[in-house]
């Protein structure tokens, strides 16, 4: 009985030794993998540190970029105001010139009427005829004034069209505000990433210094599209909505 | 009826452009406001204002919020409101109509469109 028990124990010992051998064999296979993992860690840690430093660097630069965008908006608004001042001044001068020219034209027309009366009184004198022809050749004032008035009207229209084109400033400032808003979102995400990685003080990366545009102050889809199509599409929508509204009012009356 | 416009826009440039356009159309009587709240203050203190041209995107109070506030006051239920904005998507236009703006113009606008919309609103009064 005791002999049988010893044999059974020995078999268990061999089984355990076999398991141990398999473990060593497995361990031998695992060592290169662990080694390559350690190598990978060695290579990755500086890379991660580099990434962390880059994120940190980028994050610290974001407020500056954001402020530069705000400066661009302010500068273009200032420049646009200056252009509007100049255009208004040109328009005012043109209006004054037009007024003066119209008065001058009326006076010239009166002078021509007087001259026509004098012409009739001069009779058939050849010398008088010659002088009259010469005078009429030189007297192109009235005709020139009409041309000048047309040119002035064109300058005024052109100046007004410059004014209208300056709507681009409002539209681009809305686009820039949308970019600024996006930058702020990136800033917040990067800051929280740094805090997660580095346990850095939140104060260091807070958004102080960034003038974040309020959502309500800009349209992210603003575009400088001068085609008539856009307004036509708007008009179509309005017409359809109004038709639907009218129909629902009629339906209410009959229900 | 002599018109007195209230031009509401946070952009100084746009206020000047709209004002110039109104002058070109022969309307010289207007006041300006920089946001919806400012516009409400000016509207309630000046009973001669009888036409509003407003932007949508503004700080403090948007043009849409301002329109809703105006329509909520029975004195101004029929006051003409023309929305002039960059927002051109259907949802926005429908929202503005539901807030009871009288008409809608997308920026950049032309003086012809501005005139057409003002005339349309006036003829429907």
């Amino acid at each position: 009985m005791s002999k049988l028990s010893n044999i059974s124990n020995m078999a268990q010992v061999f089984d355990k030794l076999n398991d141990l051998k398999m473990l060593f064999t497995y361990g031998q296979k695992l060592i290169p993998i662990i080694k390559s993992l350690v190598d990978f860690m060695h290579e990755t840690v500086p890379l991660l540190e580099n990434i962390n430093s880059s994120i940190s660097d980028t994050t610290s630069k974001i407020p500056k970029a954001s402020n530069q965008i705000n400066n661009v908006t302010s500068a273009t608004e200032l420049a646009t105001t200056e252009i509007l001042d100049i255009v208004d001044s040109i328009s005012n001068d043109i209006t004054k010139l037009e007024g003066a020219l119209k008065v001058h034209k009326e006076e010239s027309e009166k002078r021509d009427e007087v001259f026509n009366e004098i012409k009739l009184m001069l009779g058939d004198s050849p010398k008088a005829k010659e002088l009259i022809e010469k005078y009429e050749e030189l007297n192109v004032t009235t005709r020139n004034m009409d041309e000048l008035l047309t040119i002035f009207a064109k300058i005024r229209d052109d100046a007004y069209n410059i004014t209208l084109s300056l709507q681009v400033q409002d539209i681009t400032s809305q686009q820039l505000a949308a970019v600024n808003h996006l930058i702020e979102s990136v800033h917040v995400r990067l800051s929280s990433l740094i805090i997660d990685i580095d346990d850095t003080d939140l104060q260091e990366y807070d958004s102080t210094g960034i003038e974040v545009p309020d959502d309500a102050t800009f349209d992210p889809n603003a575009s400088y599209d001068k085609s008539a199509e856009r307004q036509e599409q708007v008009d179509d929508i309005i017409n359809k909505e109004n038709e639907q509204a009218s129909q629902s009012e009629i339906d209410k009356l009959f229900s | 009826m002599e018109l007195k416009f209230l031009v509401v826009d946070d952009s100084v440039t746009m206020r000047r452009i709209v004002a110039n356009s109104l002058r070109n159309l022969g309307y010289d009587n207007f006041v300006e406001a920089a946001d919806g709240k400012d516009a409400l203050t000016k509207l309630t203190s000046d009973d001669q204002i009888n036409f509003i041209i407003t932007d949508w995107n503004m700080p403090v109070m948007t043009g849409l919020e301002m329109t809703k506030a105006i329509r909520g006051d029975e004195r101004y239920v029929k006051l003409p409101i023309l929305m002039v904005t960059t927002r051109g998507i259907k949802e926005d236009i429908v929202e503005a109509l539901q807030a009871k703006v009288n008409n809608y113009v997308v920026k950049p606008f032309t003086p012809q469109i501005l005139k057409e919309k003002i005339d349309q609103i006036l003829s429907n009064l």
Side-chain angles (χ1 to χ4, degrees), chain B:
Chain B
M1 176 176 70
E2 205 210 329
L3 290 176
K4 183 166 186 178
F5 290 86
L6 174 58
V7 180
V8 193
D9 203 307
D10 57 323
S11 159
V12 182
T13 307
M14 280 313 301
R15 290 207 300 273
R16 281 188 69 173
I17 292 170
V18 173
N20 278 355
S21 299
L22 288 175
R23 254 188 236 109
N24 263 19
L25 296 174
Y27 301 116
D28 284 323
N29 202 3
F30 50 83
V31 284
E32 297 177 15
D35 58 64
K37 198 179 170 193
D38 185 21
L40 287 179
T41 309
K42 283 184 175 149
L43 178 65
T44 48
S45 61
D46 185 346
D47 57 9
Q48 285 190 316
I49 292 169
N50 49 15
F51 204 113
I52 295 182
I53 296 178
T54 184
D55 182 24
W56 182 318
N57 293 103
M58 290 181 289
V60 188
M61 184 188 258
T62 67
L64 191 75
E65 291 165 343
M66 181 201 73
T67 302
K68 286 176 184 171
I70 289 172
R71 292 303 185 224
D73 187 328
E74 60 180 23
R75 289 174 296 170
Y76 306 121
V77 172
K78 289 188 174 174
L79 179 71
I81 301 177
L82 174 61
M83 182 77 84
V84 181
T85 174
T86 53
R87 301 172 83 114
I89 59 168
K90 189 182 173 186
E91 289 74 14
D92 290 337
I93 299 159
V94 172
E95 201 179 352
L97 289 175
Q98 282 168 350
K100 299 214 176 340
V101 298
N102 295 76
N103 220 317
Y104 199 98
V105 171
V106 277
K107 292 176 186 172
F109 68 86
T110 62
Q112 292 80 14
I113 290 291
L114 191 67
K115 183 183 184 320
E116 187 187 306
K117 299 300 171 191
I118 292 171
D119 290 348
Q120 265 178 22
I121 292 173
L122 294 175
S123 66
N124 289 332
L125 285 180

Side-chain angles (χ1 to χ4, degrees), chain A residues 159-202:
Chain A
Y160 179 52
N161 285 332
I162 291 171
T163 303
L164 290 171
S165 295
L166 292 174
Q167 289 180 80
V168 72
Q169 193 275 326
D170 175 51
I171 292 162
T172 50
S173 71
Q174 291 197 49
Q175 290 166 338
L176 289 174
V179 171
N180 230 355
H181 199 257
L182 190 70
I183 285 176
E184 168 58 10
S185 308
V186 172
H187 185 249
V188 168
R189 294 296 294 272
L190 288 179
S191 301
S192 65
L193 199 65
I194 292 171
I195 292 153
D196 286 346
I197 297 170
D198 225 7
D199 204 22
T200 312
D201 185 7
L202 185 69

